[in-house]
Amino acid sequence: MKRPLLLLLLLAGCAQPSSRFPSLLPRAIETRDDSEPMPSSPAIVADPALDARVATATAALARTHADFTTQAARAEALVKAAQGQPAGTDAWLDAQSALADLDVLRVQSSSTLTDLERDAIDRAAEGHPAYPALEAARAQATTQHDDEGVIIETLNGQLAPASSRALLFEQRQNARMIVGPRRETRSTL
């Protein structure tokens, strides 16, 4: 008997009118957008001075690329001629000199890239948006610089490594040419 009475009391508690309970529909506060408003992108104002610097840099990159391509063909021929020869031979030294010339041209690309990056940093520090012509020139310079590095490393990898023994021998030979042959003297003590 106690059970049905307890069950009736529990069911009676659940059967109250639903108007007492809050609605489960979204409230006005729940539909409000609290996110930060997106700032409107500022208009990019033409900068003739920057356009001139970008044009100069792009022309320098084109000249460097043409010179690098010509020198790379020369270096490739010299590296092929030096393949299989030990370090310190004339063919190996000629190939190393050609690779050094390529490094000089790569430094020019690096300098141009640095100038373009400096311009981009200066614009950002002043609060200006990215300048499309500058960003395109930076991307071109970065690609060119990276490609030149890959070519140099590939050619250098085809040569015999410079061993310390070969370099020591070469240094001794150079020292003998400068100082002259060694003369052994005996002291008479």
Side-chain angles (χ1 to χ4, degrees):
M1 177 101 164
K2 287 184 179 181
R3 269 193 196 170
L5 184 59
L6 183 62
L7 189 57
L8 276 173
L9 287 174
L10 287 176
L11 286 176
C14 294
Q16 293 193 4
S18 64
S19 63
R20 266 186 58 186
F21 297 106
S23 170
L24 295 179
L25 294 175
R27 293 176 180 85
I29 191 78
E30 294 171 347
T31 59
R32 184 176 73 186
D33 185 14
D34 289 335
S35 63
E36 290 289 324
M38 292 298 294
S40 61
S41 57
I44 298 174
V45 179
D47 186 349
L50 182 59
D51 286 335
R53 288 194 304 270
V54 168
T56 301
T58 304
L61 285 172
R63 279 191 310 274
T64 303
H65 180 67
D67 292 345
F68 188 90
T69 302
T70 302
Q71 289 294 331
R74 178 179 166 270
E76 187 174 355
L78 290 171
V79 166
K80 282 186 182 182
Q83 283 180 341
Q85 296 194 20
T89 61
D90 286 339
W92 185 86
L93 291 171
D94 290 342
Q96 287 293 336
S97 294
L99 289 175
D101 292 341
L102 289 179
D103 275 332
V104 168
L105 292 171
R106 185 167 186 245
V107 167
Q108 292 174 7
S109 295
S110 178
S111 176
T112 303
L113 174 60
T114 302
D115 292 342
L116 291 169
E117 287 180 343
R118 186 178 313 118
D119 286 338
I121 290 169
D122 291 345
R123 276 188 68 79
E126 294 170 359
H128 297 298
Y131 200 70
L134 177 60
E135 294 305 314
R138 279 180 59 206
Q140 176 191 355
T142 301
T143 302
Q144 180 174 325
H145 183 261
D146 293 345
D147 290 348
E148 289 170 356
V150 168
I151 290 169
I152 291 170
E153 288 302 315
T154 301
L155 291 174
N156 195 28
Q158 296 173 10
L159 292 174
S163 66
S164 58
R165 187 173 187 185
L167 290 176
L168 182 62
F169 176 76
E170 183 181 344
Q171 289 171 350
R172 285 184 182 165
Q173 292 294 61
N174 289 338
R176 286 185 184 155
M177 288 182 197
I178 294 171
V179 175
R182 269 192 184 170
R183 293 191 183 110
E184 294 202 22
T185 57
R186 295 183 184 207
S187 66
T188 55
L189 291 179

